[in-house]
Amino acid sequence: MTPTPVDLLIEARWIIPVKPDNTTLEHHAIAVHDGRIVAVLPINEARSRFVATKTVSLPDHVVTPGFVNLHCHAAMTLMRGLADDLPLMRWLQEAIWPAESRHASHAFVRDGSLLAAAEMLRGGITTCNDMYFFPEATAEAFARLGLRGVLGITVIEFPSQYAADADDYLRKGLEARDAWRDNPLIRFALAPHAPYTVSNKSFERIGALADELELPIHIHIHETAGEVADSVREFGQRPVARLESLGLLGPSLIGVHAVHLDTEDIERLAIHQCAIAHCPTSNMKLASGAAPVASLLDRQLAVGLGSDGAASNNRLDLLREMRQASLLAKLQTSDAAALPAHQALRMATLDGARALGLDAEIGSIEPGKAADIAALRIDDPDELPCYHPASHLIHVLDRRAVSDVWVGGQRRVKHGKLLQITNTELLGIARLWQNKLRQ
Amino acid sequence: MTPTPVDLLIEARWIIPVKPDNTTLEHHAIAVHDGRIVAVLPINEARSRFVATKTVSLPDHVVTPGFVNLHCHAAMTLMRGLADDLPLMRWLQEAIWPAESRHASHAFVRDGSLLAAAEMLRGGITTCNDMYFFPEATAEAFARLGLRGVLGITVIEFPSQYAADADDYLRKGLEARDAWRDNPLIRFALAPHAPYTVSNKSFERIGALADELELPIHIHIHETAGEVADSVREFGQRPVARLESLGLLGPSLIGVHAVHLDTEDIERLAIHQCAIAHCPTSNMKLASGAAPVASLLDRQLAVGLGSDGAASNNRLDLLREMRQASLLAKLQTSDAAALPAHQALRMATLDGARALGLDAEIGSIEPGKAADIAALRIDDPDELPCYHPASHLIHVLDRRAVSDVWVGGQRRVKHGKLLQITNTELLGIARLWQNKLRQ
C-alpha cells in the first residue's frame, strides 16, 4: 500500500484525545492534512501509512486538544492587577470604569487583545470566547496571531467610547461581524453584558437576532447575591427566570459565572440545555462564591472553563482554571474524587466547544476535526516523577510547560515561542499602555 | 568616608522586605557580608557606602525574603501524583502506605529529599520544616543542596522500615540531631505524627523533651472531621483539648492543617500562642476543608504556609500556596479584601519563621538577619503590565519566574539554575524511583 501524503505528523509520548473519555494513548501520532486531523494511531503504523511533509517529534510530551477559554475580556489585559484586593463594586467604580472611560479605544482594545492572544496561545489556548467593546479590534488581534475567536457583539445600556446606546452597540457589532465574515478563525456571538445592565426591550431584540442569525448568546449571570436580590426587587423575578420569560434561554446561551443559583434556577437552565462558563479563580478572587458545578454537571449542562479578564484573575491561563475547578469542586463537595483530572480537561476543551456550538469542529483530537492542538513537556526534574499524565496536567504542570501549539494545523507556538509576533513588540505594547494607565 | 567592603551587593528594581509591613522599595540594594544582611538602602547610596566583592543587578526583578515552607514531607516527592482523585483513607491505604512499606529506606528518603530540595530552592523556598522517616537522610539532601531545614524527629505508634516503636523513633531521631549538631543549616523538631497515631505516654515524653531540649513540636491536627469525632469517642476530648491536657500546647507547637476547629479549639490555640501551618492546596485536594484562617489571624496566631508532600498537592511551591491562601480566604469570608498580597507574602516568610522560632534569624530582609533571599523576574510579556509588584507576586507570577536564590548569603540558584546539583543527576534519581515504584 502506498503511503498517503499528509502535511504534518505529530508523534508524542502521550496523547489525551478527550474523546473517547478517560483515555491516554502512549506512543501515538496525529496525522494532519489541510488543517484537519486525518488519523490518530500508533507511531509505527503512522510511519507506514503516511508520508508527511513535516514530522514533529515530542518524546517527553503530553498532547491534548487546544484549550477553549469560554469567558474572557481580552483587552483588559492592559489592566492586569491594576486594582487587587478590592470588593467588586469598589474595584469597578474606583479602578476599572474610570480607566476604561479614559482609555478605551480601537487601539487600546487591539493592543490589549494582542497581549492577551499571545498569553493565551503560549498557554495552550486555541479558542477564546471574548466580550468587550470594539470587538473588531479584538478580531484584528486574534486573526493576526492566529487564535480562534468568538467575539461578543457587546450590548449594554450605557454609553461608552465605543457606542451611544443599545442599538448603536448592536449596529456596530453586526457591522464587525459582516467585515470578518470570510475569516475562518473569527466568529461572533451576541453578548448582552448582564441582566442588570440590559433592558427587556434590548433582550427581546437580541433574542430575535440570535434566532435569525444563529448566534450564541454570551452573558454574565448570577455572579453576585446582590444582583439576584436587585432583580427580584426590580423585576419580581430572579435573573434566570427573567431571561426565560424573555425567551433567551436555550442551548445557544452561555451563562457566565452562575454562582448564586437555587435549585429552580438550575432546573430552568437544565430544561433549556443552557451552557455555563465556570470561572473559578475570578469567582474566588472577587469573593463572589463558588458555582454549584457538581449540580450543573449532574444535570448534563455543558460546563466549560473561563479565565475572565486579566484585571480580575490575573492570568489568562486554563491550566490554572482546570486545577482550580478541580480543587474547588473537591472542597465544595467534601469529596476528593470530585471533578477528576480527565473531566477537568474535558471541561477546558470539548465541553467549552460544545457550549459554543463548535464541538463538531474542535475540542477533541479526532479524525475530521480541526487540528487545534497543545503539547506540554514533562521533562523538568521539578515535575518528575510522572505516573499519570492527565493528573500531571491538572496538578503539576504550569503554563510554561506548553511547548507547541497548532490552530487549524498551523503552528502558532514552537518550543515555547510565538511565531507570529516578537517579544520586543509585545513588551513595547505593555510598556506604552502601562505608562498611559499609570497617569 | 571610605566605603565598607562587603561580600555582595544585590541591586533590584523592587524589594519587598516584609518588615516594615506593606512596603515595596524601588531601586534599592541589599548589602550582604558573612552571610548576613548588613543594610537595605537606595542603590546610589549603596554604591557610595559599600565596595562589594560581587554585585548582582536585578533590573526587572522583585526581591523578597526566601520563602519558609512550614509543612512538608520532602521524600514523598518520589510519589508525586501516584494516586490522585482518591478520598484520604483510600489514598493512604491503597497507595501511599503500601508504597512506603515496600520502598522507604535511607536511599529513598535521601533521593526524594534531593528532588524536593531542588524543586523548593528553584521555587524560592529557603527553609523547609519537614516531617518523615529517616530524617538524617533528608538532612543529608538539604545540606548538600544548601536548603535550610528543620527536620522532624518523627514519632508514630506503628513500626516502619525506619523504627520499631515510639521509643525507637525518638532514639533514632535524637541521634540524627546529635550527628547534625554542627551544621548551621540543619535544625530539628519533635514531630509526633498526629493525635490519632500517638499515645498519651509518648506525648508526655515528647512534651518533656521539647522543654528540656527547647525544640519545636510539629504535628498534624484536626485535618479531618473524622479524626475529631474519633478522638471524642476514644478520649472524651477533641484533639486540641487532649493536647492541652497533656501539656503540649505552647508557642513552640506548630499545628498543621487545623481545618476542623470550633471556637473553643481556636481559643485554646490562641491562649497558648500556638502556631499554625496552613496548607490550602492539600486541604482542597484531599477535600479536608478550609482552615478558619481569618479567625486564627484575628487571634494573632502565627499562621505560616505549607505545601504538604508532593503526593497530596502535587507541587512544593509556596507561590501557589500564597495565591491559594489568598483566594480561599476571599471565598471563605465573602470579602475580596481578605488576605491581601502583602499579608500572604508575610505568611510565607516572616510568619513561618516566627512559627519555627526563627524570626530573629530569617523571614524578612532586615539588617542583622541571615541573607535568605529570592528574586523573581517580571519581564515576560505574558506577565505584563505590572502595576503592583506585591500583587503580581501573588496573582501573576509562577515558580519559573524565580531567577536567583541565596541561603545565608550563598547563591543556590543563578538565572533559574541550581548551582549544587545537575539536572542530569536529578533526572536519573526521578527515573530510578519511578521505575521501582511502578512495579
Side-chain angles (χ1 to χ4, degrees):
Chain A
M1 204 175 80
T2 327
T4 311
V6 291
D7 295 333
L8 173 66
L9 209 55
I10 300 170
E11 302 181 348
R13 176 72 179 85
W14 296 287
I15 296 172
I16 306 179
V18 175
K19 249 336 185 195
D21 283 341
N22 302 316
T23 301
T24 304
L25 305 169
E26 290 199 65
H27 303 295
H28 271 57
I30 305 169
V32 176
H33 197 66
D34 279 345
R36 297 204 167 260
I37 295 161
V38 175
V40 182
L41 70 182
I43 290 175
N44 287 342
E45 282 180 40
R47 288 179 184 174
S48 60
R49 260 187 61 191
F50 298 105
V51 54
T53 308
K54 183 167 180 61
T55 297
V56 174
S57 175
L58 303 170
D60 298 308
H61 301 60
V62 56
V63 169
T64 72
F67 308 139
V68 176
N69 187 357
L70 195 56
H71 179 62
C72 190
H73 309 289
M76 294 182 84
T77 300
L78 296 178
M79 295 184 277
R80 189 199 303 280
L82 184 63
D84 286 337
D85 299 321
L86 284 180
L88 180 64
M89 276 302 139
R90 285 190 56 200
W91 175 77
L92 280 171
Q93 290 166 359
E94 295 174 21
I96 302 304
W97 288 342
E100 283 181 341
S101 78
R102 270 199 307 278
H103 297 289
S105 65
H106 186 99
F108 175 97
V109 173
R110 183 200 56 222
D111 284 358
S113 300
L114 277 171
L115 273 187
E119 183 182 1
M120 287 193 268
L121 282 166
R122 281 186 67 197
I125 294 170
T126 52
T127 297
C128 174
N129 185 38
D130 203 70
M131 178 199 284
Y132 206 64
F133 310 112
F134 301 93
E136 63 277 17
T138 299
E140 195 181 319
F142 285 10
R144 175 168 165 209
L145 266 56
L147 176 68
R148 205 179 286 281
V150 179
L151 302 168
I153 297 170
T154 298
V155 182
I156 194 163
E157 301 291 349
F158 58 74
S160 66
Q161 309 292 81
Y162 172 58
D165 57 27
D167 283 346
D168 197 27
Y169 280 99
L170 273 172
R171 190 177 53 72
K172 287 182 169 145
L174 291 169
E175 274 174 22
R177 177 173 169 265
D178 285 341
W180 284 90
R181 187 179 292 276
D182 296 329
N183 189 305
L185 290 180
I186 302 297
R187 287 178 173 77
F188 281 78
L190 290 156
H193 170 264
Y196 59 91
T197 50
V198 176
S199 68
N200 285 353
K201 180 165 157 279
S202 298
F203 271 129
E204 278 161 7
R205 183 146 180 240
I206 288 162
L209 277 168
D211 287 344
E212 184 193 327
L213 305 174
E214 296 184 14
L215 294 177
I217 298 173
H218 178 191
I219 180 170
H220 298 102
I221 57 167
H222 292 232
E223 181 174 8
T224 65
E227 79 189 62
V228 177
D230 288 349
S231 173
V232 171
R233 213 163 22 243
E234 189 178 351
F235 300 100
Q237 282 180 304
R238 293 166 69 85
V240 161
R242 179 171 154 238
L243 292 176
E244 187 183 43
S245 312
L246 292 164
L248 269 278
L249 298 192
S252 64
L253 185 125
I254 302 155
V256 178
H257 300 311
V259 170
H260 295 274
L261 300 177
D262 64 17
T263 49
E264 250 184 68
D265 296 327
I266 295 175
E267 187 59 30
R268 287 180 213 278
L269 292 167
I271 286 171
H272 295 281
Q273 299 176 276
C274 299
I276 300 295
H278 177 38
C279 304
T281 304
S282 167
N283 297 157
M284 291 176 81
K285 185 153 182 286
L286 295 172
S288 306
V293 171
S295 306
L296 298 168
L297 292 172
D298 277 352
R299 299 302 312 269
Q300 317 294 327
L301 275 80
V303 181
L305 295 177
S307 63
D308 209 345
S312 56
N313 180 317
N314 301 345
R315 290 311 290 267
L316 313 179
D317 181 347
L318 278 212
L319 284 161
R320 282 195 182 185
E321 301 310 321
M322 281 191 267
R323 180 166 55 252
Q324 196 63 280
S326 175
L327 294 174
L328 190 55
K330 293 173 195 305
L331 175 71
Q332 207 181 5
T333 60
S334 301
D335 176 5
L339 228 170
H342 280 285
Q343 187 173 18
L345 176 61
R346 205 183 64 189
M347 288 170 73
T349 55
L350 190 57
D351 291 346
R354 193 178 131 210
L356 291 167
L358 296 176
D359 49 324
E361 183 71 9
I362 57 170
S364 57
I365 298 180
E366 290 180 280
K369 285 202 179 180
D372 286 15
I373 291 167
L376 298 94
R377 301 174 71 112
I378 311 183
D379 64 352
D380 189 310
D382 280 18
E383 292 157 354
L384 295 175
C386 171
Y387 299 97
H388 304 288
S391 145
H392 242 63
L393 191 70
I394 306 304
H395 294 294
V396 176
L397 301 181
D398 50 45
R399 50 181 288 105
R400 298 208 199 173
V402 174
S403 65
D404 297 271
V405 179
W406 290 262
V407 179
Q410 300 294 310
R411 202 169 196 171
R412 300 308 187 196
V413 176
K414 184 177 176 180
H415 306 324
K417 291 206 188 320
L418 284 166
L419 297 178
Q420 270 74 23
I421 194 165
T422 63
N423 265 10
T424 311
E425 182 176 352
L426 292 168
L427 288 170
I429 290 170
R431 286 185 187 132
L432 172 78
W433 288 100
Q434 175 162 331
N435 289 336
K436 288 194 189 194
L437 267 78
R438 262 249 170 78
Q439 280 154 16
Chain B
M1 203 174 80
T2 328
T4 310
V6 290
D7 295 334
L8 173 66
L9 209 55
I10 300 170
E11 303 181 347
R13 176 73 178 87
W14 297 286
I15 296 172
I16 306 179
V18 174
K19 252 325 183 197
D21 283 341
N22 302 315
T23 301
T24 304
L25 305 169
E26 291 199 66
H27 303 296
H28 271 56
I30 305 169
V32 175
H33 196 67
D34 278 344
R36 299 206 165 259
I37 295 162
V38 175
V40 182
L41 69 181
I43 290 176
N44 287 341
E45 282 180 40
R47 288 179 183 173
S48 60
R49 259 187 62 191
F50 297 105
V51 54
T53 308
K54 182 168 180 62
T55 297
V56 174
S57 175
L58 303 170
D60 299 307
H61 302 60
V62 55
V63 169
T64 72
F67 308 138
V68 177
N69 187 357
L70 194 56
H71 179 61
C72 190
H73 309 289
M76 295 182 83
T77 300
L78 296 177
M79 295 184 277
R80 190 199 301 282
L82 184 62
D84 287 336
D85 300 320
L86 284 179
L88 180 64
M89 277 303 141
R90 285 190 56 200
W91 174 78
L92 280 172
Q93 290 166 358
E94 295 174 22
I96 301 304
W97 288 342
E100 283 182 341
S101 77
R102 269 199 307 278
H103 297 289
S105 66
H106 186 99
F108 174 97
V109 173
R110 182 200 56 224
D111 284 358
S113 299
L114 278 172
L115 273 187
E119 181 182 2
M120 287 193 268
L121 282 166
R122 281 185 68 198
I125 294 170
T126 52
T127 297
C128 174
N129 185 37
D130 203 70
M131 178 198 284
Y132 205 63
F133 311 111
F134 302 93
E136 63 277 17
T138 299
E140 195 181 319
F142 285 10
R144 177 170 165 206
L145 267 56
L147 176 68
R148 204 180 287 281
V150 180
L151 302 168
I153 297 170
T154 298
V155 182
I156 193 162
E157 301 291 349
F158 58 75
S160 65
Q161 309 292 80
Y162 172 59
D165 56 28
D167 284 345
D168 197 26
Y169 280 99
L170 274 172
R171 190 178 52 75
K172 286 182 169 147
L174 291 169
E175 275 174 20
R177 177 172 168 266
D178 285 341
W180 284 91
R181 187 180 291 278
D182 296 329
N183 189 305
L185 291 181
I186 303 297
R187 286 179 174 78
F188 281 78
L190 290 156
H193 171 264
Y196 59 92
T197 50
V198 176
S199 69
N200 286 353
K201 180 166 158 277
S202 299
F203 272 129
E204 279 161 7
R205 185 148 177 236
I206 288 163
L209 277 168
D211 287 344
E212 184 193 326
L213 305 174
E214 296 185 13
L215 295 178
I217 299 173
H218 178 191
I219 180 171
H220 298 102
I221 56 166
H222 292 231
E223 181 175 8
T224 65
E227 78 189 62
V228 177
D230 287 350
S231 173
V232 171
R233 210 162 25 240
E234 190 177 350
F235 299 100
Q237 283 180 303
R238 293 166 67 85
V240 162
R242 180 171 154 238
L243 292 176
E244 187 183 44
S245 313
L246 292 164
L248 271 276
L249 299 192
S252 64
L253 185 125
I254 302 155
V256 179
H257 300 311
V259 170
H260 295 274
L261 300 177
D262 64 18
T263 49
E264 248 183 72
D265 296 326
I266 295 175
E267 187 59 29
R268 286 181 213 278
L269 293 167
I271 286 172
H272 294 282
Q273 299 177 277
C274 299
I276 300 296
H278 177 39
C279 304
T281 303
S282 167
N283 297 157
M284 291 175 81
K285 184 151 181 287
L286 295 172
S288 306
V293 172
S295 306
L296 297 168
L297 293 172
D298 277 352
R299 299 302 312 267
Q300 316 295 326
L301 276 80
V303 181
L305 295 177
S307 63
D308 210 344
S312 56
N313 182 318
N314 301 348
R315 289 312 289 267
L316 312 179
D317 180 347
L318 279 211
L319 284 162
R320 283 195 183 184
E321 300 311 321
M322 283 191 266
R323 179 165 57 252
Q324 196 64 280
S326 176
L327 294 173
L328 189 55
K330 293 172 195 306
L331 175 71
Q332 206 180 6
T333 60
S334 301
D335 176 6
L339 228 170
H342 280 285
Q343 188 173 18
L345 176 61
R346 205 182 64 188
M347 289 170 73
T349 55
L350 190 56
D351 291 348
R354 194 178 131 210
L356 290 167
L358 296 176
D359 49 325
E361 184 71 10
I362 57 169
S364 56
I365 298 179
E366 290 181 279
K369 286 201 178 180
D372 287 15
I373 291 167
L376 298 93
R377 301 174 71 113
I378 311 184
D379 64 352
D380 189 310
D382 280 18
E383 291 157 354
L384 296 174
C386 170
Y387 298 98
H388 304 289
S391 145
H392 242 62
L393 191 70
I394 307 304
H395 295 294
V396 175
L397 299 181
D398 50 46
R399 50 180 287 105
R400 296 207 200 176
V402 175
S403 65
D404 297 272
V405 178
W406 290 264
V407 179
Q410 300 294 310
R411 203 168 195 172
R412 300 308 187 196
V413 177
K414 183 177 177 180
H415 306 323
K417 291 205 189 321
L418 284 166
L419 297 178
Q420 270 73 23
I421 193 166
T422 63
N423 265 10
T424 310
E425 182 176 352
L426 292 168
L427 288 170
I429 290 170
R431 285 184 188 134
L432 172 78
W433 289 99
Q434 175 162 330
N435 289 336
K436 288 194 189 195
L437 267 78
R438 262 244 171 81
Q439 279 156 16

